[in-house]
Amino acid sequence: MFSGLTSFIFVYYAVGIFTADNPPEWSRVLAYVAAGYGLGNIYILSWAWRIRGTGATWANKLIALCFLGVFLLDRWKGGVESPMEYVGILTVAGVLLLNWFAVKKISERHTPEVKSSRPRR
């Protein structure tokens, strides 16, 4: 649930930038990446739910690292003005890590055996 909620927040953030009056070009790039991460994470969660394996975990790690890279470039380009921005960077990194952990746990789940009520012969 947390992972789905944070994905919605990333998409909402992107929509906020797209609807702003004259956002800087670099912020628009961050908005595209945030929207892509949010929507991609929702797809990866459903992929992990349907099919067990490491593919969904690998894909989540890839898009999370790409998003974190663009986010760090955005912070670097704007200049770090206060130490609280480092807290924001750590918060985003923590959310991405928790999303990856959620996908990993969903991918590794074990389906319980269904026992037949019919006796074996």
Side-chain angles (χ1 to χ4, degrees), residues 12-59:
Y12 184 77
Y13 171 77
V15 170
I17 290 177
F18 290 139
T19 58
D21 291 335
N22 298 325
E25 189 63 33
W26 185 250
S27 291
R28 292 180 61 82
V29 171
L30 179 63
Y32 282 116
V33 174
Y37 175 77
L39 295 173
N41 192 51
I42 292 293
Y43 177 77
I44 290 170
L45 280 169
S46 69
W47 175 16
W49 190 260
R50 289 177 289 142
I51 303 168
R52 280 186 257 166
T54 59
T57 306
W58 182 86

Side-chain angles (χ1 to χ4, degrees), residues 2-16 34 38:
F2 174 79
S3 190
L5 180 64
T6 57
S7 296
F8 171 75
I9 291 170
F10 282 118
V11 172
Y12 184 77
Y13 171 77
V15 170

Side-chain angles (χ1 to χ4, degrees), residues 1 8 16 26 32 46 64 66 69-71 73 81 84 89 109 112:
M1 177 145 165
F8 171 75
W26 185 250
Y32 282 116
S46 69
C66 289
V70 172
F71 183 74
L73 284 173
E81 297 173 1
M84 285 304 290
I89 291 170
R109 77 188 187 292

Side-chain angles (χ1 to χ4, degrees), residues 2 20 32 55 58 63 66-67 80 84 102-103 105 107 115:
F2 174 79
Y32 282 116
W58 182 86
I63 68 167
C66 289
F67 176 77
V80 178
M84 285 304 290
V103 169
K105 282 299 179 186
S107 295
K115 294 185 179 183

